[in-house]
Amino acid sequence: MPKLTEEDRQNLLPALYEAGWKPADGRDALNKTYKFSGFVEAFGFMTRAAIYAEKWNHHPEWSNVYNRVDVTLTSHDVGGLSERDVKLAQKLDALAG
Amino acid sequence: MPKLTEEDRQNLLPALYEAGWKPADGRDALNKTYKFSGFVEAFGFMTRAAIYAEKWNHHPEWSNVYNRVDVTLTSHDVGGLSERDVKLAQKLDALAG
């Protein structure tokens, strides 16, 4: 799966930006911080997300401090964003909902 | 539970340093990076650790990229290391083993 083209980006990224995703600093990657009501809710989200990440063989870079989960998505094999990142971002938003 | 005294540190920290823990940069905290054979093993470790973190009401700051888990332990309520960090560090090492 190739890197997103300029046209792909114009089609796919605005909806993610509206959902709170941002370009990661200095990288062709997407970043979002989720806040939950506590640790169990935050880690529960991570657990659901982990199952999809493994199923789709596309894994986030992520960190957790208590009720916060910070996620960065990029496709290391193509050196930037691909459709896999868009798909995983959408799934994470659905799982966090 | 108070911050570790100098005497506590001399008694408790050397064994953790031997196990691969290090003082975190510029903070009264402990840091360690675990490497696993893959994502499932890394996230499995996090899941086991999460259950103890919640049970003991003492949560790590941690990040995961594929097979790596980077953990920082400190006791935010006392502004530095306490015996809870030592106990959790020991448990994480046992769970990672």
Side-chain angles (χ1 to χ4, degrees), chain B residues 10-11 15 18 23-24 33 40-41 48 67 72 74 97:
Chain B
Q10 284 169 25
N11 289 333
E18 286 226 358
T33 299
V40 170
E41 290 74 13
R48 295 191 296 278
N67 66 333
T72 299
T74 192

Side-chain angles (χ1 to χ4, degrees), chain A residues 39-40 43 46-47 50 54 59-66, chain B residues 39-40 43 46-47 50 54 59-66:
Chain A
F39 177 76
V40 170
F43 199 79
M46 293 180 76
T47 303
E54 182 63 20
H59 302 86
E61 304 172 18
W62 52 358
S63 61
N64 160 244
V65 180
Y66 196 58
Chain B
F39 176 75
V40 170
F43 199 79
M46 292 180 77
T47 304
E54 182 63 20
H59 303 84
E61 304 172 17
W62 51 359
S63 62
N64 159 244
V65 180
Y66 196 59

Side-chain angles (χ1 to χ4, degrees), chain A residues 44-61:
Chain A
F45 161 73
M46 293 180 76
T47 303
R48 294 191 297 278
I51 291 170
Y52 282 94
E54 182 63 20
K55 181 176 173 178
W56 293 347
N57 194 27
H58 192 55
H59 302 86
E61 304 172 18

